[in-house]
């Protein structure tokens, strides 16, 4: 099995149809397929162990992804935002690699690595020049992609995604060539993120034209969406929030063709999604939840679910706007307690998943249990109708005197305060309770600072006394990574220091 | 055959990739398929001539065999003379 089949089928079905628009250049399925075969021919002769991309998104991304697949060599998209020291460590773990993108940085950070180095332009030109047909190579270990996790606690783990995992996800969720000719998906997630890979694979298999934005900023996004008449888009919550802010400021854009917005990658503030639904009433919204280790999406809240929740007076149904929907029919999902026992609806525990798209495997170790279940380390619960609610990372739970406290419930209360712009609740050391609640907040411009007493009373009234923060700090901004994930460890560190 | 094996029809253009199933003889147009292209095309059996559709997945009754049609053709797929069915799929809203 090989993911290159997805591009091959599209290229055979409609060779001249446009597959990709990037930086003003248009690529047909056939042109991409020939370039991928060209790349495979020199990748397979380079003697490299990995094909590493250290670059923003471009036509080089799908060519490297499918070229590596054809050559039978794992594709490793690297995070170009990493600090030198961290990136250097990753380069050493994949040497010798065929590296594409920032070659001067590769050479500077790992001069002994014996890496083959191509700038993006060199790589694309060589792939096009080599062209022709290339026979798919036998996979030794069947690994299509190796993606380094962000590794906030220790060295990043190398998550392994097999061709079979990725193909199972695509074949199970995407109908071949199902996109109408006018459909175009604006892809702006970074290439080193699983959502970036999934977006390429699913768009190519459905034959939905990809509008690739090399790096996100709201104005370039609005311009590309308007000019190329985007019908679909995937965004992380911070991106959607920044786009809405620009539109509310009166930015000029024609988004009349936009039919579907999918989002994921982090919690979506209720105010953002509700404003988005007002701004784009004709648009279908889909919230996707997934992990690198699960080949992307494992649960989703579709457009109908969004509308039903938004329109409902029933608080339980309305609350689903804050859920990640129901698990995909192709996977199994359970909530388990600390002893691994399955929990009933309404009870919070750790999310476990099983299915063919679930890899759960790292270069260092296999994380699946003996029955094939993968512990996600995400905490959550299911409602009576099977809607999944996330409740932070299992490691983020605050354990106060044996009572488990989800940071999310405290944050929701704080965010409803008129002066508070953003809030995070974390565990702080407590001599009395082991752990207690610490909160960090940021204020809206021009608002008066709420007193500590006011905040404590608010939480006590809305929740209960065990949730009342022992420590309160006011910050200018909360720390987020580029995918919009709150870096709780940094806040914990702040309280510890 | 094993998952990943590509099988070609002896009677038409049909080509499938095995997603699930081991060591089973799959027929297309009534004739066994093979991972090597046929030296000469056989005659299509009219009882197995409904055609295959590219991108569709075909399964047997107990779900132990699953094939992805990667090239369409005039023959239809069977195992031991029993026709394979198109796997029902519920298209999901695009999440990426």
């Amino acid at each position: 099995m090989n993911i290159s089949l997805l591009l091959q089928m599209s290229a055979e079905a409609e060779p001249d149809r446009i597959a990709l628009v990037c930086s003003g250049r248009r690529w047909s399925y056939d042109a991409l397929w020939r370039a991928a075969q060209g790349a495979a021919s020199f990748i397979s002769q380079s003697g490299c162990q990995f094909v590493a991309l250290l670059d923003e998104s471009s036509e080089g991304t799908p060519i490297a992804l499918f070229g590596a697949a054809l050559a039978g060599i794992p594709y490793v998209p690297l995070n170009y935002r990493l600090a030198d020291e961290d990136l250097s460590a990753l380069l050493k773990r994949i040497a010798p690699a065929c590296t594409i993108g920032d070659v001067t940085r590769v050479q500077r950070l790992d001069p002994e690595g014996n890496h083959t180095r191509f700038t993006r332009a060199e790589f694309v030109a060589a792939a096009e020049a080599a062209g022709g047909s290339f026979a798919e190579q036998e996979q030794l270990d069947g690994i299509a992609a190796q993606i380094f996790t962000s590794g906030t606690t220790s060295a990043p783990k190398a998550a392994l995604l097999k061709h079979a995992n990725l193909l199972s996800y695509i074949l199970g969720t995407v109908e071949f060539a199902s996109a109408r000719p006018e459909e175009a998906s604006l892809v702006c997630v970074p290439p080193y993120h699983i959502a970036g890979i999934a977006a390429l694979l699913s768009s190519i298999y459905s034959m939905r034209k990809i509008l690739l934005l090399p790096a996100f900023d709201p104005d370039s996004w609005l311009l590309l969406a308007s000019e190329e008449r985007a019908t679909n888009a995937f965004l992380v919550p911070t991106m959607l929030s920044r786009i809405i802010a620009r539109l509310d400021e009166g930015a000029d854009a024609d988004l009349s063709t936009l039919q579907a917005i999918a989002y994921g990658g982090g919690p979506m503030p209720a105010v953002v999604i509700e404003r988005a639904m007002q701004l784009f009433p004709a648009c279908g919204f889909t919230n996707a939840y997934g992990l690198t280790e699960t080949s992307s999406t494992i649960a989703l809240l579709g457009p109908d679910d969004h509308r039903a929740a938004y329109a409902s007076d029933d608080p339980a149904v309305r609350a689903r706007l804050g859920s990640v929907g129901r698990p995909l029919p192709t996977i199994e999902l359970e909530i388990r307690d600390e002893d691994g026992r399955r929990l009933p609806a309404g009870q919070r525990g750790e999310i476990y998943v099983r299915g063919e798209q679930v890899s759960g495997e790292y270069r260092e170790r296999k994380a699946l249990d003996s029955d094939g279940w993968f512990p996600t380390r995400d905490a959550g619960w299911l409602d009576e109708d099977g809607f999944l609610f996330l409740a932070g990372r299992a490691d983020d739970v605050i354990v106060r005197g044996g009572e488990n406290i989800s940071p999310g419930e405290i944050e929701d209360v704080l965010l409803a305060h008129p002066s508070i712009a953003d809030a995070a609740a974390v565990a702080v050391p407590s001599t009395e309770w082991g752990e207690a609640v610490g909160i960090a907040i940021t204020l809206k411009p021009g608002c008066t600072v709420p007193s500590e007493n006011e905040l404590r009373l608010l939480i006590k009234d809305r929740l209960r006394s065990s949730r009342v923060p022992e420590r309160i700090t006011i910050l200018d901004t909360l720390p987020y990574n580029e995918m919009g994930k709150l870096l709780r460890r940094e806040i914990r560190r702040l309280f510890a220091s | 055959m094993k998952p990943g094996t590509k099988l070609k029809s002896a009677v038409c253009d049909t080509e499938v990739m095995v997603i699930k199933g081991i060591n089973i003889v799959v027929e297309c147009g009534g004739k066994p398929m093979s991972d090597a292209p046929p030296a000469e095309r056989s005659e299509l059996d009219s009882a197995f001539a409904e055609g295959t559709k590219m991108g569709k997945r075909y399964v047997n009754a107990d779900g132990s065999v699953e094939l992805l049609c990667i090239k369409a053709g005039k023959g239809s797929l069977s195992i031991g003379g029993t026709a394979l069915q198109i796997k029902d799929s519920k298209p999901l809203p695009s999440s990426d």
Side-chain angles (χ1 to χ4, degrees):
Chain A
M1 278 195 211
N2 194 304
I3 55 168
S4 62
L5 179 69
L6 304 172
L7 176 57
Q8 184 181 10
M9 285 171 68
S10 294
E12 282 176 9
E14 288 192 59
D16 299 328
R17 185 161 161 177
I18 297 302
L20 174 73
V21 178
C22 183
S23 306
R25 189 169 165 191
R26 308 176 104 73
W27 292 75
S28 67
Y29 287 100
D30 186 56
L32 268 191
W33 175 233
R34 278 187 286 115
Q37 292 178 90
S41 66
F42 60 79
I43 287 168
S44 66
Q45 286 159 20
S46 71
C48 66
Q49 302 287 313
F50 296 93
V51 174
L53 183 82
L54 183 66
D55 198 2
E56 294 178 342
S57 288
S58 75
E59 63 278 12
T61 314
I63 296 170
L65 171 67
F66 291 109
L70 275 169
I73 293 173
Y75 168 71
V76 187
L78 294 168
N79 182 350
Y80 47 82
R81 289 190 172 94
L82 288 177
D84 280 356
E85 189 188 336
D86 299 329
L87 185 59
S88 163
L90 297 188
L91 284 167
K92 291 185 171 79
R93 285 166 70 179
I94 57 169
C98 174
T99 57
I100 301 146
D102 192 345
V103 291
T104 47
R105 204 164 172 221
V106 170
Q107 177 61 11
R108 180 164 59 80
L109 296 179
D110 190 20
E112 313 290 310
N114 204 17
H115 299 291
T116 310
R117 300 184 303 276
F118 293 94
T119 63
R120 180 201 303 174
E122 287 166 356
F123 175 72
V124 173
E128 283 192 277
S133 64
F134 179 85
E136 167 192 326
Q137 297 295 292
E138 188 69 30
Q139 299 290 314
L140 290 179
D141 46 12
I143 293 163
Q146 171 171 322
I147 302 178
F148 288 106
T149 60
S150 48
T152 41
T153 40
S154 54
K157 295 192 290 279
L160 305 179
L161 293 175
K162 294 191 166 163
H163 287 274
N165 299 134
L166 290 166
L167 273 177
S168 159
Y169 170 63
I170 297 298
L171 299 179
T173 60
V174 182
E175 189 75 15
F176 176 64
S178 55
R180 295 182 307 278
E182 70 275 15
E183 286 189 36
S185 184
L186 205 169
V187 176
C188 61
V189 278
Y192 52 80
H193 194 272
I194 181 62
I197 293 178
L200 294 181
L201 298 179
S202 58
S203 299
I204 282 172
Y205 195 60
S206 65
M207 298 187 79
R208 181 181 294 127
K209 183 166 63 185
I210 299 165
L211 311 174
L212 203 53
L213 186 64
F216 178 82
D217 79 83
D219 292 308
S220 332
W221 189 93
L222 288 167
L223 184 67
L224 184 60
S226 305
E227 283 186 352
E228 293 290 343
R229 307 181 66 74
T231 57
N232 295 60
F234 177 88
L235 294 161
V236 301
T238 43
M239 292 172 177
L240 183 58
S241 159
R242 290 176 65 194
I243 289 166
I244 288 174
R246 287 296 291 128
L247 289 172
D248 283 340
E249 285 161 20
D252 183 33
D254 172 13
L255 302 178
S256 57
T257 51
L258 203 56
Q259 295 165 355
I261 294 178
Y263 61 92
M268 172 68 84
V271 287
V272 176
I273 187 60
E274 289 179 7
R275 179 74 187 120
M277 290 177 75
Q278 288 163 359
L279 272 174
F280 308 112
C283 217
F285 286 85
T286 298
N287 181 8
Y289 162 64
L291 297 91
T292 302
E293 295 90 332
T294 61
S295 309
S296 192
T297 307
I298 51 174
L300 56 84
L301 184 79
D304 296 341
D305 302 324
H306 272 82
R307 280 187 278 267
Y310 189 61
S312 180
D313 295 331
D314 179 345
V317 177
R318 175 86 188 185
R320 287 178 188 155
L321 211 47
S323 79
V324 293
R326 280 182 279 218
L328 300 188
T330 44
I331 62 137
E332 297 169 275
L333 187 146
E334 285 182 5
I335 307 295
R336 297 188 187 174
D337 69 9
E338 281 162 15
D339 300 321
R341 282 182 301 242
R342 186 176 178 171
L343 290 169
Q347 286 196 36
R348 189 200 132 103
E350 185 177 348
I351 301 167
Y352 277 67
V353 282
R354 180 163 73 174
E356 286 170 14
Q357 74 181 71
V358 178
S359 140
E361 203 178 322
Y362 304 101
R363 183 72 64 188
E364 300 76 19
R365 68 187 175 93
K366 208 167 172 154
L368 300 182
D369 73 9
S370 54
D371 296 320
W373 288 90
F374 173 62
T376 61
R377 301 304 295 146
D378 279 337
W381 53 279
L382 292 161
D383 76 6
E384 294 293 339
D385 291 318
F387 285 78
L388 176 65
F389 290 76
L390 301 183
R393 294 291 284 170
D395 313 306
D396 294 335
V397 175
I398 304 160
V399 187
R400 183 182 183 274
E403 187 180 358
N404 285 350
I405 299 171
S406 160
E409 54 177 323
I410 298 168
E411 289 158 8
D412 285 345
V413 170
L414 291 169
L415 287 171
H417 187 285
S419 302
I420 295 178
D422 203 358
V426 297
V428 293
S430 159
T431 41
E432 189 179 1
W433 302 102
E435 282 181 357
V437 177
I439 60 168
I441 57 170
T442 67
L443 299 175
K444 289 180 182 165
C447 286
T448 47
V449 182
S451 74
E452 294 204 353
N453 203 32
E454 182 188 346
L455 294 175
R456 291 197 169 101
L457 263 173
L458 174 74
I459 290 168
K460 184 164 180 278
D461 287 350
R462 296 281 298 279
L463 300 167
R464 52 182 131 150
S465 59
S466 60
R467 271 68 172 164
V468 170
E470 204 156 282
R471 306 267 308 270
I472 296 174
T473 186
I474 298 172
L475 303 174
D476 292 333
T477 53
L478 297 185
Y480 285 91
N481 74 6
E482 73 284 357
M483 288 299 284
K485 283 210 171 105
L486 180 65
L487 300 171
R488 291 179 190 277
R489 280 181 191 84
E490 290 194 12
I491 299 170
R492 279 203 289 270
R493 213 172 292 140
L494 206 73
F495 280 116
S497 63
Chain B
M1 72 174 223
K2 61 179 189 343
T5 304
K6 290 177 184 167
L7 300 173
K8 294 178 173 65
S9 172
V11 304
C12 67
D13 294 335
T14 297
E15 196 174 327
V16 300
M17 185 184 77
V18 180
I19 294 176
K20 214 155 106 185
I22 294 171
N23 299 331
I24 291 155
V25 176
V26 179
E27 304 111 17
C28 175
K31 302 289 186 305
M33 299 182 83
S34 157
D35 54 3
E40 206 173 304
R41 278 213 175 152
S42 311
E43 192 112 335
L44 176 67
D45 180 339
S46 59
F48 297 97
E50 284 167 38
T52 50
K53 288 201 184 84
M54 189 169 182
K56 292 290 176 195
R57 288 176 294 164
Y58 292 84
V59 289
N60 62 352
D62 67 5
S64 60
V65 176
E66 184 174 332
L67 310 169
L68 172 70
C69 174
I70 58 176
K71 263 190 197 134
K74 288 183 177 147
S76 47
L77 302 169
S78 58
I79 291 175
T82 306
L84 300 186
Q85 303 299 322
I86 289 184
K87 185 173 179 172
D88 283 333
S89 65
K90 291 183 200 126
L92 295 166
S94 172
S95 62
D96 39 39

